[in-house]
Amino acid sequence: MTNIRTAGLAAFVAAALPAAAHAEFVGGRAAVAHSTFVDDTSMAKSTAEGAVEFSFGSFGLQTDLGVSGLNALSETATNMTTHAIWNFSPDAAAGLYYGADYMGGAGEDFLGVEYARRIGDAKIEAYIAGTNSDAGDATLVGIAGSTPVGF
């Protein structure tokens, strides 16, 4: 049985090596923000977040990480989301994602599908996800659009 496991592991590594060798760093971002009311700093929020994306041909992998300090609640919130992306054309992509949010000992997990498309300079994005939290289950749905406006 050990030989079968070893052979299976060796086959998996051999199959994964070409994809890993063709990995390309696509990009990333990092941001730090702080917001508060001018006359009441007890409601302040400080955030640090970032993301990195790697491409494996038409497939990609992106991970987002964030941490926020919430003064009014005396809590720290953290989140992490990983996206598996299929770029099926230069202007369109679809993917699956899994994420987890935690704050004050409680947390929620979410799993969803997403789609993004560029039409000229315009961009549309949509997602649907299911979440499982300590407070119960829910379905999340979102759609966004953007386009540059010039004067």
Side-chain angles (χ1 to χ4, degrees):
M1 190 63 140
T2 302
N3 290 338
I4 294 173
R5 287 186 193 151
T6 303
L9 178 60
F12 173 78
V13 169
L17 281 177
H22 290 34
E24 175 184 356
F25 177 70
V26 176
R29 65 177 170 75
V32 177
H34 181 77
S35 60
T36 188
F37 292 106
V38 175
D39 57 352
D40 184 5
T41 59
S42 69
M43 300 293 285
K45 174 184 171 187
S46 300
T47 301
E49 60 185 17
V52 295
E53 183 176 347
F54 290 91
S55 173
F56 304 89
S58 62
F59 292 96
L61 184 64
Q62 176 181 325
T63 299
D64 310 318
L65 301 169
V67 61
S68 297
L70 309 169
N71 286 4
L73 302 175
S74 298
E75 290 289 350
T76 298
T78 59
N79 64 0
M80 181 187 90
T81 306
T82 297
H83 308 257
I85 304 163
W86 176 39
N87 298 296
F88 53 89
S89 83
D91 296 323
L96 297 170
Y97 63 94
Y98 170 78
D101 294 335
Y102 298 98
M103 184 178 78
E108 69 179 17
D109 298 331
F110 47 93
L111 179 65
V113 295
E114 57 193 342
Y115 175 80
R117 174 161 182 122
R118 285 191 186 279
I119 302 170
D121 288 338
K123 184 176 180 180
I124 58 172
E125 299 179 6
Y127 68 88
I128 184 167
T131 182
N132 180 332
S133 73
D134 298 337
D137 298 340
T139 300
L140 310 170
V141 178
I143 188 166
S146 64
T147 186
V149 177
F151 294 97

